[in-house]
């Protein structure tokens, strides 16, 4: 691990410890706010900067690059605004995500639409706004055909096409260690499966027949995909772009969208692998990328945010059951759904803090950290060696800035926790800013049909009058 990465990780831990302490002191966390999400603004800025510089370092100067944050990783408007300020756009995959990006002020020209199930209305809106679209399959390409204004004769009345358009391909390079996040398998639901019979030829012809197809997209996987496999996916995409351009006899494909998927180190503090390492590997494995012949779009999600988010939950009770030691906290399946349902694939590190939010000293004892939901499997961690968590302490689930607290799961009607960003207050302390208000019980009732309480009893029942 290089020195910078180590120092960066140490500073991140120090900032997190100070933030937990300050959150307790300032009452953001306590008996009446038993679980919160915290976001490290400085850390997010550092990751965005690391992403920019990593690719600048390996690409020819002046190569157009759009880093589009995969909004699904952390769908929070203030986060998207912060990233936008850091030069990072948005990759969206639903009307909701598009609306979030727009609410954050991300311009259409820095937005990419990628969902596997786009409706005609969504496609029409994207083209009207000038948002880039990657068609997932031949049927979607048919829909684009109908929307793209005809060039030349008869097209004069239609608005000009502003959206860069491309096709998403699946190079079918195989799975990583987590099936659910492996997108480039033989039978993946995403994109045009390139190795299927006739598929490659179909893709090449689709480009020769449509001069407006100028991008090529592949996102070959997320957490659990080894770097060399990610690089192979990019190499395959590059080779296909070269083949298309050779066939049409000009540089029609001018931009490669290489997707996201850089894995995150959930086993330790260090950022590993780094963007710098991935960019260098890409430059080695796909030397043609360096030449600047293609603009580049990236779609990183988890790797930009995961390390900068922490779920902190109060230990309501500490108990023993049949010799098992259990800390019952307020963070469980509602904020860490993947971990609770698939603990083998998504283990989380837990840090122990005392009732004042200070890191708890040892000795460590083996214990389970449970959530508040009413099923036995609602565990953040099982059999974990940690300083003994006692009533009134806090348990922090680390590396949860992506795909965790912004992905609330309403089990047991547990309310969405508040999310607070933190940074220095300028006087040696910590300042917080509300990113998302905690959900109130009244809001839980409202979204659970509260306005329709008599909807079912008012319906006629057979045999009654
Ligand atoms: C989810 C997704 C990403 C981001 O993946 P991460 O693993 O979060 O980096 C990028 N592109 C597409 C098309 C996706 O579906």
């Amino acid at each position: 691990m290089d020195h910078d990465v180590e120092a960066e990780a140490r500073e991140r831990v120090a900032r997190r410890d100070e933030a937990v302490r300050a959150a307790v002191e300032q009452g953001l966390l306590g008996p009446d706010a038993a679980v919160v999400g915290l976001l490290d603004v400085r850390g997010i800025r550092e990751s965005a900067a690391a992403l920019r510089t990593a690719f600048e370092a390996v690409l020819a100067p002046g190569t157009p690059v759009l880093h589009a944050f995969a909004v699904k990783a952390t769908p929070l408007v203030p986060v998207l605004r912060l990233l936008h300020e850091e030069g990072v756009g948005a990759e969206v995959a639903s009307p909701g995500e598009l609306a979030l990006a727009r609410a954050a002020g991300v311009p259409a020209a820095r937005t990419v639409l990628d969902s596997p199930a786009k409706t005609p209305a969504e496609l029409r809106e994207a083209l009207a706004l000038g948002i880039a679209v990657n068609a997932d399959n031949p049927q979607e390409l048919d829909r684009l055909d109908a929307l793209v204004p005809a060039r030349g004769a008869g097209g004069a009345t239609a608005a000009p096409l502003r959206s860069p358009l491309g096709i998403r391909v699946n190079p079918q390079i195989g799975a990583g260690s987590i099936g659910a996040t492996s997108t480039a398998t033989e039978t993946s639901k995403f994109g045009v499966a390139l190795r299927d019979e006739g598929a490659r030829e179909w893709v090449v012809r689709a480009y020769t027949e449509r001069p407006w197809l100028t991008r090529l997209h592949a996102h070959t996987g997320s957490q659990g995909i080894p770097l060399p496999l990610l690089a192979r996916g990019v190499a395959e995409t590059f080779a296909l772009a070269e083949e298309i351009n050779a066939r049409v006899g000009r540089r029609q494909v001018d931009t490669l969208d290489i997707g996201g998927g850089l894995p995150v180190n959930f086993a330790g503090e260090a950022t590993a692998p780094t963007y710098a390492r991935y960019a260098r590997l890409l430059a080695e494995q796909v030397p043609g990328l360096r030449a600047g012949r293609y603009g580049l779009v990236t779609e990183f999600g988890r790797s930009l945010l995961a390390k900068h988010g922490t779920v902190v939950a109060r230990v309501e009770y500490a108990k023993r059951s049949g010799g098992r030691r259990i800390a019952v906290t307020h963070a469980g399946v509602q904020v860490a759904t993947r971990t609770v349902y698939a603990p083998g694939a998504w283990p989380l590190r837990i840090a122990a803090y005392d009732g004042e939010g200070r890191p708890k000293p040892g000795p460590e004892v083996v214990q389970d950290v449970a959530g508040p939901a009413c099923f036995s499997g609602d565990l953040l961690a099982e059999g974990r060696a940690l300083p003994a968590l006692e009533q009134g302490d806090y348990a922090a689930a680390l590396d949860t800035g992506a795909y965790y607290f912004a992905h609330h799961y309403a089990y047991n009607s547990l309310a969405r926790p508040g999310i607070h960003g933190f940074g220095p207050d300028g006087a040696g302390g910590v300042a917080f800013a509300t990113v998302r208000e905690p959900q109130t019980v009244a809001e839980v009732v409202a979204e659970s049909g509260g306005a329709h309480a008599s909807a079912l009893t008012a319906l006629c029942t057979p045999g009654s009058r």
Side-chain angles (χ1 to χ4, degrees), residues 172-408:
Q172 290 165 297
I173 51 171
S177 60
I178 305 175
T181 56
S182 295
T183 51
T185 55
E186 200 60 38
T187 55
S188 162
K189 75 172 181 181
F190 297 107
V192 177
L194 266 191
R195 295 182 187 178
D196 283 11
E197 202 183 329
R200 193 178 184 95
E201 181 54 27
W202 177 85
V203 170
V204 174
R205 250 211 340 275
Y207 279 80
T208 62
E209 289 165 358
R210 293 171 184 79
W212 41 266
L213 282 176
T214 56
R215 285 194 177 178
L216 190 61
H217 175 225
H219 166 67
T220 52
S222 292
Q223 189 68 21
I225 310 286
L227 283 199
L229 197 60
L230 283 178
R232 249 187 71 203
V234 176
E236 301 262 349
T237 312
F238 178 86
L240 177 59
E242 292 282 280
E243 183 180 334
I244 292 167
N245 287 344
R247 186 80 76 88
V248 295
R250 69 185 181 93
R251 306 216 66 79
Q252 176 176 322
V253 176
D254 60 19
T255 303
L256 299 180
D257 182 337
I258 63 169
L262 193 73
V264 165
N265 171 22
F266 285 102
E269 199 57 51
T271 301
T274 60
Y275 288 121
R277 188 169 147 221
Y278 182 44
R280 283 196 300 267
L281 181 73
L282 285 181
E284 275 164 35
Q285 304 285 306
V286 199
L289 265 191
R290 279 196 293 211
R293 285 205 308 260
Y294 293 96
L296 207 64
V297 176
T298 73
E299 303 171 346
F300 296 102
R302 183 179 290 106
S303 53
L304 268 167
L305 259 294
K307 288 272 167 204
H308 311 305
T310 309
V311 172
V312 193
R314 197 169 154 89
V315 177
E316 198 63 53
Y317 302 111
K319 62 195 281 188
R320 281 168 192 273
S321 173
R324 171 188 180 206
R325 197 178 187 119
I326 311 165
V328 180
T329 80
H330 287 274
V333 74
Q334 88 277 31
V335 287
T337 314
R338 273 187 168 155
T339 295
V340 168
Y341 285 135
W346 302 100
L348 285 174
R349 292 183 300 139
I350 306 293
Y353 294 92
D354 69 15
E356 274 146 59
R358 292 174 305 211
K360 268 203 113 165
E364 294 186 338
V365 296
V366 172
Q367 58 202 302
D368 289 0
V369 182
C374 298
F375 65 101
S376 309
D378 187 30
L379 299 169
L380 277 184
E382 210 173 349
R384 197 66 66 82
L386 288 169
L389 285 164
E390 291 157 81
Q391 184 172 39
D393 286 347
Y394 294 93
L398 310 182
D399 308 324
T400 47
Y403 302 98
Y404 280 97
F405 47 70
H407 293 65
H408 188 81

